[in-house]
Structure formats: C-alpha cells, structure tokens
Amino acid sequence: MRLYRPRLSVFLMSVILAGLGVAGVVHYIPFVTDVSFWLLLAGYIVLMLGVLADGV
C-alpha cells in the first residue's frame, strides 16, 4: 500500500475537526459538545483519506 502526503488544506481541515471535537469534550459548546465524538472521527477519516488517496 502506497501512502501519499496530504495537501495542506486536507490536513488543516482534519486538525480543525479534531480540535473542535476535543474542545467539545473539554468545554461545553452548545452544538459541538453533542457531536464531539463524530467530529473527532470525521477529522481522522479526512486525514486517512488524504494519506491514502493520491491528489487529495
């Protein structure tokens, strides 16, 4: 399996999603706290797709 370097935009999108998920666990944010697990999962899936897919 070949791994690729993700674009900066994909990396930043995954960091923002994961950061919102962590912030929702640590602090109460009205919408974010309810879906914090899914935000973390989405951040890691975006990063995984960026590493596995060429040109993403």
Side-chain angles (χ1 to χ4, degrees):
M1 178 185 298
R2 184 169 165 88
L3 301 177
Y4 301 96
R5 180 179 175 200
R7 291 187 177 170
L8 182 63
S9 59
V10 171
F11 177 74
L12 290 177
M13 185 186 321
S14 70
V15 168
I16 290 170
L17 286 171
L20 281 173
V22 170
V25 170
V26 175
H27 300 290
Y28 178 74
I29 304 170
F31 175 74
V32 176
T33 301
D34 297 334
V35 294
S36 61
F37 171 76
W38 298 110
L39 287 171
L40 278 169
L41 185 64
Y44 285 114
I45 288 174
V46 166
L47 185 60
M48 180 186 68
L49 291 175
V51 169
L52 293 177
D54 186 22
V56 174

